[in-house]
Amino acid sequence: MQSSFTLHEDAWFRHGPVYAGGQVIVYRVGGMPDGRTARIANFGAPNQNDWRIMRINADNTQTDWTGHYEGVEEALAALQRD
């Protein structure tokens, strides 16, 4: 059975004086099995797409950032395949 992952906006670029009004650059991924979670972040923002994944275990240990994806959807699909 495949889990139903969800994306939760977690960090944004500032746009002028308005906080959190710019491009989303980090998402927290929910719905992963066994209490795990992940983050998907754009390391190339704001001018390039270089999305990467960090997996976080139930005991709060985490992996290094992996992958180089063109978009958050592509990174999420890769995470779901794992």
Side-chain angles (χ1 to χ4, degrees):
M1 179 179 154
Q2 188 172 4
S3 297
S4 177
F5 293 179
T6 56
L7 290 173
H8 305 273
E9 295 177 353
D10 206 30
W12 303 262
F13 273 120
R14 282 183 66 137
H15 181 62
V18 179
Y19 180 72
Q23 173 187 13
V24 175
I25 57 164
V26 180
Y27 290 91
R28 181 181 54 81
V29 180
M32 294 180 60
D34 302 325
R36 297 178 185 164
T37 189
R39 296 212 185 279
I40 299 176
N42 187 2
F43 280 72
N47 300 319
Q48 296 178 338
N49 286 321
D50 182 14
W51 292 89
R52 301 181 194 181
I53 301 168
M54 179 189 1
R55 292 159 178 84
I56 304 166
N57 299 312
D59 66 358
N60 213 29
T61 58
Q62 55 195 27
T63 67
D64 288 332
W65 291 97
T66 60
H68 296 281
Y69 304 99
E70 285 295 315
V72 67
E73 297 84 9
E74 187 180 320
L76 184 63
L79 187 60
Q80 288 178 312
R81 282 191 301 271
D82 287 351

